Amino acid sequence: TMVLVCPWLVKKLLDRLARSRTFSSLAAVEEGLPSRTHFQLFIGLLIVQIFSSLAFVVFVAAQAEIDGSQALYLVAAWNAAWLGGFLAIPVPMGLGVRESLLALLLSPLMPTALGAAIALLYRLFTVGVEMILLVLATLLDLRGDRSST
């Protein structure tokens, strides 16, 4: 998404990364990443998935009536749909794949049309949040550039 929306920011980030000492140690593919780095990346992804799953449950609860026993199913459905979209390598960002799987997995809990609407609305919500974070990161980056000159 960032490459399409702000290619200049991606180029700037990649240029900074190329100049950093961290990049030179990570660029050595034959050496591989240290196991501590693997663990930190795994924990980071796990935390993001937990928050994303909880946000999905709250989002669905705001749109449809669900009870507490269905929350775990919603978490599993969201993660299965996310994984399906992630594994759909030829499809950019799993666009359409994640939503289709999510609508299918929500069909036991609600009408299919409502499940599809929730899947599409949640995609729009997540893209909106990513855009807000991108704007904030850009503003903070620009502010940092001014203070360093």
Side-chain angles (χ1 to χ4, degrees), residues 16-148:
R16 272 193 187 170
L17 184 63
R19 288 190 304 258
S20 73
R21 285 184 286 171
T22 306
F23 180 74
S24 62
S25 65
L26 291 178
V29 176
E30 63 277 356
E31 293 177 22
L33 291 173
S35 20
R36 180 180 171 122
T37 304
H38 281 281
F39 182 71
Q40 289 170 336
L41 290 171
F42 173 75
I43 294 299
L45 179 61
L46 185 63
I47 290 170
V48 167
Q49 283 302 112
I50 289 170
F51 279 111
S52 181
S53 299
L54 293 176
F56 180 70
V57 171
V58 170
F59 188 84
V60 172
Q63 309 298 322
E65 283 190 39
I66 61 164
D67 59 26
S69 65
Q70 295 170 329
L72 187 59
Y73 180 82
L74 290 172
V75 168
W78 164 250
N79 283 292
W82 179 88
L83 185 62
F86 181 77
L87 293 176
I89 295 171
V91 182
M93 294 175 33
L95 197 59
V97 175
R98 185 187 314 167
E99 290 78 15
S100 300
L101 285 171
L102 199 50
L104 178 70
L105 292 170
L106 292 177
S107 62
L109 302 181
M110 60 191 69
T112 306
L114 180 59
I118 286 173
L120 290 173
L121 286 172
Y122 194 68
R123 171 67 83 155
L124 290 174
F125 171 74
T126 56
V127 169
V129 168
E130 289 172 357
M131 295 306 293
I132 290 169
L133 292 174
L134 176 65
V135 168
L136 288 173
T138 303
L139 291 174
L140 289 173
D141 186 52
L142 292 176
R143 187 172 157 203
D145 282 349
R146 286 188 198 137
S147 64
S148 64

